[in-house]
Amino acid sequence: MPPRTKPLRKDAQRNRDLLVTTARELFAARGLDVSLDEIARTAGVSSGTLYNHFPDRADLVEAVFADRVATVAEIAEHALAIADPWAGLVHFLERVCELQAADRGYNDLVSRRLPQAPPTEDHARGYELMVRIIDRARESGALRDDVTLEDMAFVTWGTARTVEATAGVRPQAWRRHLALMLDGLRATAARPLPEPPLRPEELADIMRACS
Amino acid sequence: MPPRTKPLRKDAQRNRDLLVTTARELFAARGLDVSLDEIARTAGVSSGTLYNHFPDRADLVEAVFADRVATVAEIAEHALAIADPWAGLVHFLERVCELQAADRGYNDLVSRRLPQAPPTEDHARGYELMVRIIDRARESGALRDDVTLEDMAFVTWGTARTVEATAGVRPQAWRRHLALMLDGLRATAARPLPEPPLRPEELADIMRACS
DNA sequence: CAATAAGTTGACCGTACTCTCAACTTATTT
DNA sequence: AAATAAGTTGAGAGTACGGTCAACTTATTG
């Protein structure tokens, strides 16, 4: 659907796009903490223009990573297209972690709580698909039956930190971390867990929390 | 052994101690990014005094956490005193993660690369003990034989991130993360790993790296 | 081609932080 | 109780950042 708002003037649209792509590159290379002034300068516009388009840093971050939710949903779809449920889960987690490893900004985004983009329909779709990936893997008997979708956050958070630490020295080290984690998620590895899973609302709180 | 340098004047010593304990509290509560001015103010001394004692932020951090290396070594000793090698490893990792969970500053410290304290003899002792914890667990057949001491960094990094994320909502959630990870470290869970372990020098590089 | 709306500029304000130093105060020494 | 060495102070320099706005420029419209 076309956006309801009146279209931007064409130079304004050009500047906006420029800012987003510039920010995307800088975020990818150096993480989410790049200064907004530097982004504007690199894009060749004044800082006023940046603030005109994106009043808040979160607005810019949201614009830069707006497509990622859909990307994750697509990955989830591919994962569900794999016949073997366990292989599907592994595929999903590997691909998501690859996204993190390829983009320091995205890695920061999944790590830190940040902007809280308003929940979109892609969000809901991705969530549904992920639930199915987990359920299917669990019902197949490959995934341990005491883990939930929320436990996948541990995978994401953990590899995010490993990606950050090892990026300079061994960019693929996170694969080893992930593999160990995956071996712990197998039904055959299951031992009683010491703590109940995060409830969906708790995880939502964590994601939403800004600080 | 008494320090070789001339002892501080007694008010200077008092101020120094005050700064360290104040910094310890603030770091523990709010992480390593507390401003130095605030630490000085809270301690009731001027910022000049702080910089007189600790020219660099890293110097203060080092003073605050100087004892932690010895603490970890002690935990390692306790772990080795446990008869069952696997239980010893679990004990060690749980206790270290508890340290992280109890102190946001320490959690930051193990996460981010920061100051690179000069390697002390406690360091070497801790290292030796940790090697023995791992070797013993592996030789007992409980720990998978394709993991190394360096793989424990994944445990530390991972839980560090989970601690950070969940501290406000479910302070014990990291125990679940750790338990999943531990299940992946069991010999019975072992599947081939996709990436060679970090070499000791690589891990040292990561720890040393400042940025 | 006006006329007007839309967008841009860059200097500037406020804030927060690290770090310095000359003037001052306090402890220690003889 | 001087004399001296040691330590403290707090204002302020320097930096970087987010964010604002009145004056200016540019696109669009009739």
Side-chain angles (χ1 to χ4, degrees), chain A residues 111-112 144 146 151 154 157 161 170 175-177 179-181 183-184 186 189 191 194-197 202, chain B residues 111-112 144 146 151 157 161 170 172 175-177 179-181 183-184 186 189 191 194-197 202:
Chain A
S111 277
R112 316 177 197 176
R144 51 196 294 169
D146 54 355
D151 288 316
F154 299 141
W157 291 332
R161 182 60 198 104
R170 277 277 291 275
R175 293 189 187 276
R176 190 171 169 95
H177 182 161
L180 290 169
M181 201 74 195
D183 283 346
R186 286 197 155 88
R191 310 275 174 134
E195 176 82 5
E202 286 177 324
Chain B
S111 277
R112 317 176 194 178
R144 50 197 293 170
D146 53 356
D151 288 316
W157 291 333
R161 182 61 197 102
R170 277 277 290 274
Q172 301 290 329
R175 293 188 186 276
R176 189 170 169 93
H177 181 161
L180 289 169
M181 201 75 195
D183 283 346
R186 286 195 156 89
R191 310 275 174 134
E195 176 83 5
E202 286 176 324

Side-chain angles (χ1 to χ4, degrees), chain B residues 127 148 150 197-208:
Chain B
Y127 184 80
T148 68
E150 285 69 35
L198 289 173
R199 282 179 285 118
E201 322 88 72
E202 286 176 324
L203 186 58
D205 282 355
I206 291 167
M207 300 297 208
R208 189 178 322 116

Side-chain angles (χ1 to χ4, degrees), chain B residues 8 17 21 98 141 173 178 193 196 211:
Chain B
L8 289 174
D17 294 346
T21 62
E98 276 168 13
L178 174 59
L193 292 171
S211 165

Side-chain angles (χ1 to χ4, degrees), chain B residues 119-195:
Chain B
T120 155
E121 68 281 5
D122 276 328
H123 235 95
R125 182 168 69 103
Y127 184 80
E128 284 304 318
L129 292 167
M130 285 164 62
V131 168
R132 284 173 55 197
I133 292 173
I134 298 296
D135 285 350
R136 190 175 73 131
R138 189 170 32 222
E139 281 157 21
S140 80
L143 177 65
R144 50 197 293 170
D145 62 3
D146 53 356
V147 304
T148 68
L149 175 58
E150 285 69 35
D151 288 316
M152 299 306 115
F154 299 142
V155 178
T156 297
W157 291 333
T159 55
R161 182 61 197 102
T162 290
V163 161
E164 200 178 330
T166 61
V169 173
R170 277 277 290 274
Q172 301 290 329
W174 63 268
R175 293 188 186 276
R176 189 170 169 93
H177 181 161
L178 174 59
L180 289 169
M181 201 75 195
L182 283 169
D183 283 346
L185 290 174
R186 286 195 156 89
T188 53
R191 310 275 174 134
L193 292 171
E195 176 83 5

Side-chain angles (χ1 to χ4, degrees), chain A residues 30-100:
Chain A
R30 312 224 309 268
L32 244 35
D33 285 335
V34 182
S35 93
L36 298 183
D37 274 0
E38 179 176 0
I39 292 170
R41 208 181 321 123
T42 308
V45 303
S46 79
S47 62
T49 299
L50 191 155
Y51 288 103
N52 177 37
H53 286 291
F54 309 100
D56 202 342
R57 171 181 230 103
D59 296 318
L60 180 57
V61 171
E62 191 187 325
V64 165
F65 295 104
D67 57 333
R68 287 303 166 101
V69 182
T71 303
V72 170
E74 275 171 40
I75 293 175
E77 259 166 8
H78 275 96
L80 280 172
I82 296 173
D84 176 32
W86 176 258
L89 174 61
V90 171
H91 179 262
F92 175 73
L93 292 174
E94 268 176 357
R95 292 291 308 273
V96 169
C97 289
E98 275 168 13
L99 286 183
Q100 295 176 217

Side-chain angles (χ1 to χ4, degrees), chain A:
Chain A
M1 83 190 80
R4 309 220 31 139
T5 61
K6 177 191 281 196
L8 288 174
R9 228 169 71 175
K10 77 162 187 269
D11 58 339
Q13 184 64 52
R14 193 183 53 86
N15 282 339
R16 192 179 206 282
D17 294 346
L18 240 162
L19 282 166
V20 169
T21 62
T22 307
R24 182 171 290 134
E25 283 164 18
L26 287 177
F27 285 160
R30 312 224 309 268
L32 244 35
D33 285 335
V34 182
S35 93
L36 298 183
D37 274 0
E38 179 176 0
I39 292 170
R41 208 181 321 123
T42 308
V45 303
S46 79
S47 62
T49 299
L50 191 155
Y51 288 103
N52 177 37
H53 286 291
F54 309 100
D56 202 342
R57 171 181 230 103
D59 296 318
L60 180 57
V61 171
E62 191 187 325
V64 165
F65 295 104
D67 57 333
R68 287 303 166 101
V69 182
T71 303
V72 170
E74 275 171 40
I75 293 175
E77 259 166 8
H78 275 96
L80 280 172
I82 296 173
D84 176 32
W86 176 258
L89 174 61
V90 171
H91 179 262
F92 175 73
L93 292 174
E94 268 176 357
R95 292 291 308 273
V96 169
C97 289
E98 275 168 13
L99 286 183
Q100 295 176 217
D103 188 324
R104 248 188 96 171
Y106 186 64
N107 198 44
D108 283 358
L109 189 61
V110 301
S111 277
R112 316 177 197 176
R113 49 273 149 136
L114 238 186
Q116 184 57 352
T120 157
E121 67 282 5
D122 277 327
H123 234 97
R125 183 168 69 101
Y127 183 81
E128 285 304 318
L129 291 167
M130 285 164 62
V131 168
R132 285 174 54 198
I133 291 173
I134 298 295
D135 285 351
R136 190 175 74 131
R138 187 170 35 221
E139 282 156 20
S140 80
L143 177 65
R144 51 196 294 169
D145 62 3
D146 54 355
V147 305
T148 68
L149 174 58
E150 285 69 36
D151 288 316
M152 299 306 115
F154 299 141
V155 179
T156 297
W157 291 332
T159 54
R161 182 60 198 104
T162 290
V163 162
E164 202 178 328
T166 61
V169 173
R170 277 277 291 275
Q172 301 290 329
W174 63 269
R175 293 189 187 276
R176 190 171 169 95
H177 182 161
L178 174 59
L180 290 169
M181 201 74 195
L182 283 170
D183 283 346
L185 290 173
R186 286 197 155 88
T188 54
R191 310 275 174 134
L193 292 171
E195 176 82 5
L198 288 173
R199 281 179 287 117
E201 321 90 70
E202 286 177 324
L203 186 58
D205 282 356
I206 291 168
M207 299 298 207
R208 188 177 322 115
C210 293
S211 166

Side-chain angles (χ1 to χ4, degrees), chain B residues 5-164:
Chain B
T5 61
K6 176 190 282 194
L8 289 174
R9 229 169 69 175
K10 77 162 188 271
D11 59 337
Q13 184 62 53
R14 193 182 54 88
N15 282 339
R16 192 179 206 283
D17 294 346
L18 239 163
L19 281 166
V20 169
T21 62
T22 307
R24 181 171 290 135
E25 284 165 18
L26 287 177
F27 284 159
R30 311 223 310 268
L32 244 34
D33 286 334
V34 182
S35 93
L36 298 182
D37 273 1
E38 179 175 359
I39 292 170
R41 206 181 324 123
T42 308
V45 304
S46 80
S47 63
T49 298
L50 190 155
Y51 287 101
N52 177 39
H53 286 290
F54 309 100
D56 201 342
R57 171 180 229 104
D59 296 318
L60 179 57
V61 170
E62 191 187 324
V64 166
F65 295 105
D67 57 335
R68 286 304 166 102
V69 181
T71 303
V72 170
E74 274 171 41
I75 293 175
E77 258 165 9
H78 276 97
L80 280 171
I82 296 173
D84 176 32
W86 176 257
L89 174 61
V90 170
H91 178 262
F92 174 73
L93 292 174
E94 269 176 356
R95 292 292 308 274
V96 169
C97 290
E98 276 168 13
L99 287 183
Q100 294 175 218
D103 188 323
R104 249 188 94 171
Y106 186 64
N107 198 43
D108 283 358
L109 188 61
V110 301
S111 277
R112 317 176 194 178
R113 47 275 152 132
L114 239 183
Q116 184 56 355
T120 155
E121 68 281 5
D122 276 328
H123 235 95
R125 182 168 69 103
Y127 184 80
E128 284 304 318
L129 292 167
M130 285 164 62
V131 168
R132 284 173 55 197
I133 292 173
I134 298 296
D135 285 350
R136 190 175 73 131
R138 189 170 32 222
E139 281 157 21
S140 80
L143 177 65
R144 50 197 293 170
D145 62 3
D146 53 356
V147 304
T148 68
L149 175 58
E150 285 69 35
D151 288 316
M152 299 306 115
F154 299 142
V155 178
T156 297
W157 291 333
T159 55
R161 182 61 197 102
T162 290
V163 161
E164 200 178 330

